[in-house]
Amino acid sequence: MGIGILSVGSYLPERIMTNADWTKLIETSDEWITERTGIKKRHFAPEGVNTSDLVMRAAEKALQRANLHPQDLTEIIVATDTPELYTPDTAALVQHKLGVNEVPAYDLAGSGCAGFVQALAVAKSRVESEGGKILVAGVELFSRMMNWKDRNTCVLFGDGAGAAIVAETKSQSEILATYAGTDGSKADILGLEIGGTRRPITAEMIADPSYPPIVMKGKEVFREAVVRMSQAARVVLEKAQVSLEDISLIIPHQANLRIIEAVANALEVPLEKVYVNVQDYGNTGSASVPIALDEALQTEHIRPGELVLMTAFGAGFHWAAALVRL
Ligand code: ACO
């Protein structure tokens, strides 16, 4: 028996914010956003809906598709950079709301958009050592945490959640290889540097129009994302001794269409083999890979038994890849 993904679920909040909607709030254009990023629209959660609510909706779908009850779960890992509270973590809130037993539940926080794929690797090794069934979620509620006046960043992001259940499987489904890496020397290139011990939030900060001050050196992020995502993809292929020709679908983190095209180019694969939905959802951070995986399964871009390669990159810098037979 291998350790694989039993099921996947995702959730996008109903409110849609188009590029045209952004032009009413900031100096931008549909043309600029489309040309630079490929993004046409994104989903934003309404007031009163919080991070754990998004996870709940995705988790309920994944549980239902695996014919499982919340009490069947033995662990919960939530990857997010937009937690519901500073402490305790979002996973604790999800554990309570879902009605899961008193199992370990924890966030994999601050790992940027690589979080879900990193969490998949953690879940695999936890099942190896402890057995059980682990809910792995990736979620972001960026609209609540971003700077709505900073056109450099606000147009990029969207809200959403995706979840997968990792367990021993009787079928051919298996996580064949995982890989993750970090380069903390680039921590100042992308992030939200407030709210921690270095820069606790003050009243002056909140009054400043640049609040919250998201740091993003776009061109450097772009370059590094392409190199790391394509490298990470090659590492998992090598680890599993699988060739790129045998992969049915590559699911890269959905940050930007140009980044995705450059990754396809670096891997020398046609874009048809690469899943793209950034035009509909924007960059949903840790949620982007599981949302894309769910959508690819539902639309039969990938079928059970086929090989899928996920590769992601985010703040830290962190990167991670996973090669999975579904
Ligand atoms: N509308 C109009 N103009 C804008 C906007 C906007 N929304 N945002 C920035 N601009 C302007 C800037 O002010 C700047 O103007 P200036 O030259 O007069 O100073 C100009 O556009 C910058 O344009 P470019 O240099 O051509 O921008 P670039 O081609 O680098 O594209 C982008 C910017 C889209 C941010 C790109 O660098 C990128 O995608 N980087 C990756 C960032 C990313 O993906 N971050 C997400 C988090 S990390 C992750 O998920 C991997």
Side-chain angles (χ1 to χ4, degrees):
M1 271 202 298
I3 295 163
I5 295 179
L6 293 187
S7 65
V8 185
S10 65
Y11 177 70
L12 280 309
E14 271 161 33
R15 182 183 158 207
I16 291 174
M17 177 98 175
T18 63
N19 291 349
D21 293 330
W22 269 122
T23 64
K24 293 170 201 148
L25 301 180
I26 51 167
E27 207 185 312
T28 190
S29 64
D30 174 43
E31 198 186 5
W32 192 97
I33 301 170
T34 307
E35 253 176 35
R36 300 301 202 291
T37 72
I39 299 166
K40 299 299 278 184
K41 54 188 180 178
R42 65 291 284 151
H43 291 237
F44 283 167
E47 230 175 279
V49 169
N50 295 312
T51 310
S52 67
D53 302 313
L54 301 183
V55 178
M56 290 286 294
R57 304 289 281 267
E60 279 164 356
K61 273 193 209 162
L63 284 164
Q64 193 192 3
R65 287 173 182 160
N67 276 322
L68 292 174
H69 296 289
Q71 294 79 13
D72 296 323
L73 295 173
T74 56
E75 197 155 320
I76 299 171
I77 311 175
V78 176
T80 187
D81 274 8
T82 48
E84 186 155 329
L85 303 170
Y86 191 91
T87 301
D89 50 15
T90 303
L93 309 178
V94 170
Q95 181 266 344
H96 176 62
K97 281 190 184 173
L98 265 181
V100 179
N101 298 327
E102 292 176 350
V103 301
Y106 48 94
D107 281 11
L108 207 158
S111 51
C113 313
F116 174 82
V117 187
Q118 282 182 325
L120 212 52
V122 174
K124 182 183 182 236
S125 58
R126 290 287 296 156
V127 175
E128 261 157 11
S129 69
E130 304 280 331
K133 295 179 174 57
I134 303 187
L135 176 74
V136 182
V139 59
E140 305 297 350
L141 212 164
F142 282 130
S143 64
R144 206 65 58 75
M145 305 293 281
M146 69 197 191
N147 183 338
W148 283 62
K149 295 189 191 78
D150 176 11
R151 69 176 183 170
N152 291 294
T153 53
C154 66
V155 298
L156 303 176
F157 298 108
D159 301 339
I165 295 171
V166 174
E168 278 190 348
T169 56
K170 293 191 193 86
S171 66
Q172 57 192 334
S173 157
E174 187 171 1
I175 300 171
L176 297 169
T178 60
Y179 167 71
T182 301
D183 177 4
S185 73
K186 307 270 170 50
D188 58 345
I189 288 174
L190 179 63
L192 181 55
E193 293 178 355
I194 56 160
T197 54
R198 192 192 295 173
R199 290 183 67 198
I201 295 171
T202 60
E204 291 75 38
M205 259 181 209
I206 295 169
D208 191 304
S210 68
Y211 179 86
I214 293 171
V215 178
M216 187 187 79
K217 294 180 185 156
K219 285 191 193 332
E220 285 176 65
V221 173
F222 192 117
R223 269 196 302 271
E224 196 80 8
V226 175
V227 171
R228 297 303 188 177
M229 279 203 277
S230 46
Q231 270 176 357
R234 289 198 188 284
V235 172
V236 285
L237 287 166
E238 174 73 29
K239 279 176 102 174
Q241 290 290 296
V242 167
S243 84
L244 252 178
E245 290 78 59
D246 297 326
I247 302 295
S248 296
L249 192 67
I250 297 172
I251 299 185
H253 165 50
Q254 308 283 313
N256 175 315
L257 180 59
R258 289 190 302 154
I259 293 179
I260 295 169
E261 286 170 344
V263 169
N265 203 30
L267 290 173
E268 297 176 28
V269 293
L271 203 55
E272 298 81 66
K273 219 175 177 172
V274 181
Y275 199 75
V276 182
N277 65 7
V278 68
Q279 68 281 358
D280 295 328
Y281 307 130
N283 182 345
T284 56
S286 278
S288 94
V289 168
I291 289 172
L293 178 62
D294 186 27
E295 201 175 74
L297 274 162
Q298 297 306 314
T299 55
E300 299 194 336
H301 277 81
I302 177 105
R303 292 181 178 80
E306 292 184 334
L307 289 173
V308 60
L309 198 169
M310 301 171 237
T311 185
F313 173 86
F317 288 147
H318 296 289
W319 53 91
L323 180 61
V324 176
R325 187 185 299 286
L326 290 168

